[in-house]
């Protein structure tokens, strides 16, 4: 899995633990390369209990590795049946209004 931010490929560490960090962004499990970890505008989800970014996403749940707090993925997207997939863009409200206006024109309403 490449870095979610810059797309860099993970290389095998010479020895010891990988310097790559795991995190969750928009309810999706992501990897952050050492380069991007230095950035301060990482768009990572944080634990609602302790604000840690050390989260793991699995089976529709996001678990905090710092305090153990668990929330369901997809919270706030209606239903909470998230499957750790990136958010899909929803149809903007003004598009629906546009379609309705176009229909009105076709039907000859003013
Ligand atoms: Zn990166
Ligand atoms: Zn936590």
């Amino acid at each position: 899995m490449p870095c979610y931010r810059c797309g860099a490929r993970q290389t095998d560490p010479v020895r010891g633990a990988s310097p790559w960090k795991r995190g969750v962004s928009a309810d999706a499990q992501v990897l952050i390369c050492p380069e991007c970890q230095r950035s301060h505008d990482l768009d990572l989800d944080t634990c609602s209990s302790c604000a840690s970014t050390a989260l793991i996403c699995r089976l529709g749940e996001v678990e905090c590795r710092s305090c153990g707090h668990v929330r369901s993925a997809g919270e706030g997207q209606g239903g909470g049946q998230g499957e750790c997939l990136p958010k899909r863009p929803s149809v903007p409200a003004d598009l629906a209004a546009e379609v309705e206006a176009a229909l009105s024109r076709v039907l000859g309403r003013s």
Side-chain angles (χ1 to χ4, degrees):
M1 192 154 73
C3 171
Y4 87 104
R5 201 161 171 277
C6 70
R9 295 268 163 192
Q10 187 171 15
T11 50
D12 288 330
V14 180
R15 74 169 89 112
S18 168
W20 285 55
K21 214 171 107 176
R22 294 210 294 168
V24 172
S25 178
D27 292 330
Q29 185 77 59
V30 296
L31 273 175
I32 309 105
C33 75
E35 233 11 71
C36 290
Q37 282 173 38
R38 282 187 238 139
S39 166
H40 288 291
D41 62 343
L42 291 175
D43 187 23
L44 293 175
D45 288 6
T46 54
C47 173
S48 59
S49 180
C50 72
S52 168
T53 55
L55 308 177
I56 45 174
C57 189
R58 56 160 193 236
L59 295 173
E61 283 183 341
V62 177
E63 184 183 329
C64 173
R65 288 196 289 168
S66 294
C67 73
H69 180 264
V70 176
R71 68 171 171 88
S72 54
E75 254 174 33
Q77 304 181 47
Q81 79 271 35
E83 294 284 338
C84 293
L85 296 171
K87 275 177 196 162
R88 279 189 218 109
S90 53
V91 180
D94 55 338
L95 183 64
E98 223 168 83
V99 169
E100 203 160 307
L103 268 177
S104 294
R105 276 198 297 275
V106 169
L107 297 174
R109 290 193 228 130
S110 55

